């Protein structure tokens, strides 16, 4: 395919640093809605003509100009982002519309410092705004001087036939639904960018008109992709196909955030509630949005914003690079330490922050600005604020709230640059903190023993700081507007986060009333916690073990505090995911031992590696399967890698005291699989000279396993039903399919029949049956499952006290009657209605 082409060279309109268009913090430019080209971060203060031509448009606000080049192409030069809001202040046009110019003619003079401080970004797009799709065949990179070659454009050329024919640069594309409950938020974004590390392909995600470089978790956040939305993934480059497959598999998997069946979180109803303030009180009370529940009485204390001045001027580029690298590295170490010592929630949030610190868009953005002569502090701040601007423009509250994480890292890294020591603040007792906004790191640094709660003018209920506060049990209200900022330090307050009120300077009688409610709650919680430690038996004396599902050592510690009587499922995959190679025996053993130590004297059921299917591991080469959920996953995959399996068995058998750790095989569908694992286990046991092999049990996750439970129970020491997978296989509904989520209910009578078959088969050989799928923690399900014959329930740790209380009030005969009735129901909805109406056997 040939046609006549004309080349046009554009010369840089000022000194500056070239920025790829997709890094410009404005989707109109980043997504090339106006045209293709590049952007420059200016370092000189006059915009010069990049080519010969005629000024066809000069914007009234003086910040943008369009030239018609002599070859007939239109070029737009737009100084900064959202500079239209300056209404011409700081800009002085040097030309008029219709004027002919040659390369280097001054077009617009501008006050660089003034515009820099007021603009959202100084990035200046230089675009070919021509409908005939001219092709840009050269783009400068890095630092450029005014008048240097910037871009070469071929006009009239067909769209690069040779490029399209090159198989190396073929574009692979797929459209996929987002199954994650909260869409692509910080954690999935970090995992997507991490999953692409082994590949060199350029991968872009498109959500409607928005596009994002998939290696940048910040850019991914700005996509605002929500659950159920269709996202197009484009991959280009030599390993594009493999990168695309890996990414689709990862997203398809739901990353542990697709709603598993029956796992809807249950809010524990607290009977002792504070009544709403009456009209008089309400008149002086301030409204807020609950970020974390609870009620507190305390005194106001303002936390002033951490506005630290920024030094623009810098040392040499090398010095500023070193300063930034050291500050980022210090911050990373600090966050990694917080991740190690905190709760599971804190660990997850800190992991997301560590991912942001590695974000290529931020790091490159800051490097470009340092290169351009700015200080490390300014470069870091500006790079982050550009992305904050992108996130806050997204029409999704959750994504906007992620901007707080960037602001947090801005603050932390700049604090490290300033060499400011980290230390706890001093606060009065019973402080109710009043602040414009609170960042996760600020909350973690507070002397929590003195803090009764907090209120923020800004923020949102799904921010990371809200999640952290909920994990700490700290009542808090957010999005209150500026009103609380006027409250004087030391003013008495009642913070009713449950009701969404902040009562300012309440009457003594009201304080007394609220104090009584708080005291009653404490008594109730203390009783629940006390009872949570007591072994669980039904009202008529049947022992029911209430275990915890674990995915980390921190989970095990948390589970112990919730009264877990053991671990019914340790998902050992957590050790294998999000890394470049498998953990060795020593590392595995250390973690399994730490989990056992956290739950001393209690059984730990550790599942053998369950990857493949919905849980791909990047370093584990698996052939592409059309139907991975029905493919080489779970034990099928492990048996194909006996070295890996043996390594894990060795690490598990070495856990002391012997017998505490039990081993569980995932995804069993035939007897032979148990026999093969047992043979390998016995070899390991012989080799280390153990007297007795640990118990070896199986997960019942396939209809085949449920239907042949009697045969499997001959070989297995215990059975544990994985209702998440069992439900998807019984109902033939993908557990991650958001569109069918309301139909994939484990209380469907067909699934209940499988549970019944499993219990009957196991009972023939005296084997215990547990449940470790999400339904184990479902209050509707508990009496039913016990009625079907299950004697162990393993769940999310926080659900344990409630589950124990519920089981304690249960009579078995009534539970059996309920189960029988449920088996005769026609669908899950009917079963749930029956379960909710079930009063007979349960003392409420
Ligand atoms: C299950 O399938 O029910 C189960 C507990 O395993 P996972 O959710 O890890 O697949
Ligand atoms: Mg499973």
């Amino acid at each position: 395919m040939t046609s006549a082409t004309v080349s046009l060279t554009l010369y840089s309109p000022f000194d500056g640093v070239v920025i790829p268009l997709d890094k410009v913090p404005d989707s109109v430019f980043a997504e090339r809605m106006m045209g293709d080209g590049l952007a420059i971060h200016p370092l000189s203060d006059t915009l010069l003509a990049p080519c010969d031509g005629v000024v066809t448009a000069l914007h009234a606000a003086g910040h943008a100009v369009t030239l018609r080049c002599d070859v007939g192409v239109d070029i737009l030069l737009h100084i900064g982002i959202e500079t239209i809001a300056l209404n011409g202040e700081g800009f002085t046009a040097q030309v008029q519309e219709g004027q002919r110019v040659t390369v280097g003619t001054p077009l617009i003079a501008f006050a660089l410092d003034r515009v820099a401080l007021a603009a959202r970004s100084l990035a200046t797009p230089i675009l070919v705004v021509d409908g005939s799709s001219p092709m840009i065949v050269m783009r400068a990179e890095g630092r450029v001087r005014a008048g240097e070659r910037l871009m070469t454009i071929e006009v009239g050329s067909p769209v690069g036939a040779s490029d399209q024919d090159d198989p190396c640069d073929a574009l692979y594309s797929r459209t996929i639904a987002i199954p994650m409950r909260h869409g692509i938020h910080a954690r999935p974004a970090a995992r997507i960018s991490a999953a692409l590390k082994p590949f060199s392909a350029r991968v872009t995600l498109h959500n409607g008109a928005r596009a994002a470089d998939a290696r940048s978790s910040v850019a991914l956040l700005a996509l605002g992709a929500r659950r159920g939305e269709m996202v197009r993934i484009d991959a280009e480059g030599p390993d594009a196909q493999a990168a695309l497959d890996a990414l689709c598999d990862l997203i398809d998997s739901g990353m542990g955030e697709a709603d598993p069946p029956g796992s809807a979180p249950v809010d524990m109803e607290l009977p002792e509630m504070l009544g709403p303030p009456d009209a008089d009180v309400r008149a002086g009370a301030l409204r807020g949005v609950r970020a974390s529940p609870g009620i507190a009485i305390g005194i106001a204390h303002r936390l002033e914003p951490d506005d630290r001045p920024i030094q623009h001027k810098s040392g040499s580029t090398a010095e500023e690079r070193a300063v930034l690298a050291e500050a980022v590295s210090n911050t990373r170490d600090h966050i990694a330490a917080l991740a190690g010592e905190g709760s599971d929630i804190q660990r997850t949030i800190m992991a997301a922050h560590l991912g942001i610190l590695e974000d290529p868009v931020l790091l490159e953005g800051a490097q470009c600005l340092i290169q351009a002569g700015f200080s490390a502090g300014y470069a870091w701040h500006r790079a982050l604020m550009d992305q904050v601007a992108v996130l806050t423009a997204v029409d999704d509250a959750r994504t906007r709230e992620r901007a707080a994480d960037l602001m947090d890292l801005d603050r932390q890294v700049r604090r490290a640059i300033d060499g400011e020591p980290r230390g706890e603040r001093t606060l009065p007792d019973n402080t109710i903190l009043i602040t414009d906004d609170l960042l996760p790191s600020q909350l973690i640094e507070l002397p929590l023993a003195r803090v009764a709660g907090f209120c923020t003018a800004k923020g949102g209920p799904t921010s990371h700081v809200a999640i952290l506060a909920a994990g700490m049990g700290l009542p808090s209200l957010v999005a209150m507007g500026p009103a609380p900022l006027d409250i004087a330090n030391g003013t008495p307050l009642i913070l009713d986060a449950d009701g969404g009120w902040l009562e300012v300077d309440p009457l003594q009688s009201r304080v007394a009333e609220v104090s009584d409610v708080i005291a009653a709650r404490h008594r109730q919680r203390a009783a629940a916690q006390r009872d949570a430690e007591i072994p669980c038996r039904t009202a008529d004396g049947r022992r029911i073990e209430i275990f915890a599902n674990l995915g980390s050592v921190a989970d095990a510690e948390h589970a112990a505090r919730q009264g877990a009587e053991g671990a019914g499922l340790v998902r050992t995959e957590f050790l294998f995911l999000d890394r470049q190679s498998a953990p060795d025996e020593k590392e595995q053993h250390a973690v399994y031992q730490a989990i056992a130590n956290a739950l001393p004297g209690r059984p730990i059921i550790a599942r053998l590696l369950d990857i493949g299917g919905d849980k791909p591991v990047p370093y584990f080469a698996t052939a592409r399967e059309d139907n991975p959920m029905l493919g080489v996953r779970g034990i099928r995959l492990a048996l194909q890698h006996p070295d890996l399996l043996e390594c894990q068995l060795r690490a598990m058998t070495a856990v002391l005291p012997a017998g505490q750790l039990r081993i569980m095989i995932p995804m069993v569908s035939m007897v032979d699989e148990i026999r093969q694992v047992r043979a390998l286990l016995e070899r390991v046991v012989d080799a280390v000279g153990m007297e007795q092999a640990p118990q070896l049990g199986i997960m019942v996750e396939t209809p085949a396993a449920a239907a042949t439970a009697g045969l499997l129970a001959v070989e297995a020491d215990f059975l544990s039903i994985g209702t998440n997978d069992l439900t998807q296989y019984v109902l033939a509904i993908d557990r991650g399919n958001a569109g069918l989520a309301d139909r994939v209910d484990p209380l469907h009578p067909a699934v209940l029949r499988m549970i019944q078959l499993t219990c009957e088969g196991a009972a023939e050989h005296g084997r215990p049956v547990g449940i470790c799928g999400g339904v184990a923690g479902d209050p509707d399900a508990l009496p039913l499952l016990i009625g079907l014959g299950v004697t162990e329930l393993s769940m999310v740790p926080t659900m344990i006290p409630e589950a124990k209380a519920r089981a304690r009030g249960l009579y078995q005969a009534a539970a059996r009657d309920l189960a029988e009735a449920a088996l005769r129901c026609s669908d899950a909805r009917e079963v749930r209605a029956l379960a909710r109406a079930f009063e007979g056997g349960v003392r409420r």
Side-chain angles (χ1 to χ4, degrees), residues 395-733:
D395 179 27
D396 174 57
R398 202 174 280 273
T399 302
R400 284 198 300 275
E401 285 170 22
R402 293 290 87 82
D405 294 313
L406 294 188
M407 295 201 268
D408 198 351
L409 290 163
D410 173 40
R411 168 183 173 270
Q412 293 197 64
V413 170
R414 285 199 294 121
R415 205 157 86 158
I417 289 173
D418 295 346
E420 191 180 298
R422 295 186 171 87
E424 279 199 349
R425 291 168 189 272
T426 42
L427 290 177
D429 278 342
N430 284 326
T431 289
I432 293 183
L433 218 54
I434 308 284
T435 168
D436 187 46
D437 207 352
L438 193 66
L439 300 170
S441 68
Q442 289 175 306
L443 176 59
I444 293 169
E445 285 164 13
L446 291 173
L448 288 171
R450 292 177 183 274
V451 180
F454 68 83
C455 299
T456 64
K458 297 185 184 141
T462 56
S463 65
H464 276 156
V465 83
I467 295 167
L468 275 173
M472 294 169 175
L474 206 59
S476 44
L477 290 178
V478 293
M480 299 190 71
L485 301 178
D486 292 333
I487 300 172
N489 276 356
T491 307
L493 299 174
I494 292 174
L495 169 59
D496 173 13
D498 296 343
W501 293 100
L502 178 68
E503 297 172 30
V504 184
D505 207 2
L507 294 174
Q508 270 312 313
S509 56
R510 177 70 177 162
V511 173
E513 180 195 352
V514 176
S515 300
D516 287 349
V517 170
I518 294 175
R521 282 189 171 197
H522 280 157
R523 280 197 300 276
Q524 208 175 353
R525 208 168 280 148
Q529 203 66 36
R530 200 173 48 239
D531 288 354
E533 286 296 327
I534 301 170
C536 178
R537 289 186 183 281
T538 58
D540 48 1
R542 168 123 201 196
R543 177 82 172 98
I544 303 291
E545 292 172 308
I546 306 290
F547 285 0
N549 288 355
L550 308 179
S552 67
V553 178
D555 276 359
E557 288 157 358
H558 176 52
R561 291 193 293 275
Q562 297 299 317
E565 300 176 67
L569 168 64
V570 179
R571 289 186 163 100
T572 61
E573 306 79 74
F574 79 89
L575 260 168
F576 292 77
L577 300 173
D578 292 337
R579 55 190 293 160
Q580 300 309 313
S581 59
D584 62 13
E585 184 185 328
K586 195 164 155 225
E587 183 182 347
Q588 288 191 53
H589 172 254
V591 174
Y592 304 149
Q593 186 66 58
I595 288 176
N597 294 348
L599 290 161
R602 285 168 263 190
I604 305 293
I605 299 178
R607 175 169 75 183
L608 292 171
L609 188 56
D610 181 19
I611 57 172
D614 62 336
K615 298 166 190 154
V617 172
Y619 54 85
F620 215 106
T622 45
R624 166 114 191 116
E625 295 174 308
D626 284 341
N627 219 333
M629 281 296 194
L630 304 180
V632 184
R633 59 167 301 201
I635 195 58
R636 298 172 193 165
L637 188 131
L639 285 170
Q640 289 184 3
H641 297 272
D643 290 353
L644 185 98
L645 187 54
E646 189 174 332
C647 172
Q648 194 172 30
L649 288 171
R650 281 177 176 281
M652 287 180 173
T653 47
V655 169
L656 293 174
Q660 186 187 357
L661 187 138
R662 304 170 185 174
I663 299 172
M664 181 158 73
I665 313 175
M667 281 298 298
V668 168
S669 55
M670 48 193 85
V671 171
D672 187 53
E673 290 160 338
I674 314 176
R675 291 191 183 139
Q676 286 189 58
V677 177
R678 192 173 287 283
L680 201 54
L681 178 62
E682 275 166 9
R683 273 219 307 280
V684 168
V685 166
D686 282 351
V688 296
M690 275 177 87
E691 278 184 9
Q692 206 179 351
Q695 283 194 26
L696 181 67
I698 60 163
M699 285 194 76
V700 176
E701 293 168 285
T702 62
T708 59
L711 296 175
L712 301 175
V714 176
E715 311 285 335
D717 296 319
F718 59 89
L719 295 84
S720 180
I721 306 175
T723 45
N724 306 341
D725 276 315
L726 183 62
T727 306
Q728 77 165 341
Y729 293 130
V730 169
L731 300 183
I733 300 179

Side-chain angles (χ1 to χ4, degrees), residues 31-84:
E31 289 158 22
R32 294 167 171 73
M33 290 184 214
M34 298 195 68
D36 198 4
L38 46 71
I40 302 184
H41 194 101
L43 297 170
S44 54
D45 57 7
T46 306
L47 181 80
L48 308 175
C51 57
D52 298 347
V54 173
V55 178
T56 49
L58 188 59
H59 199 284
H63 66 296
V65 58
T66 308
L67 291 187
R68 166 74 48 88
C69 307
D70 287 350
V71 295
V73 171
D74 287 334
I75 307 292
L76 170 71
L77 301 107
H78 187 286
I79 302 171
I81 302 301
E82 289 186 3
T83 36
I84 190 168

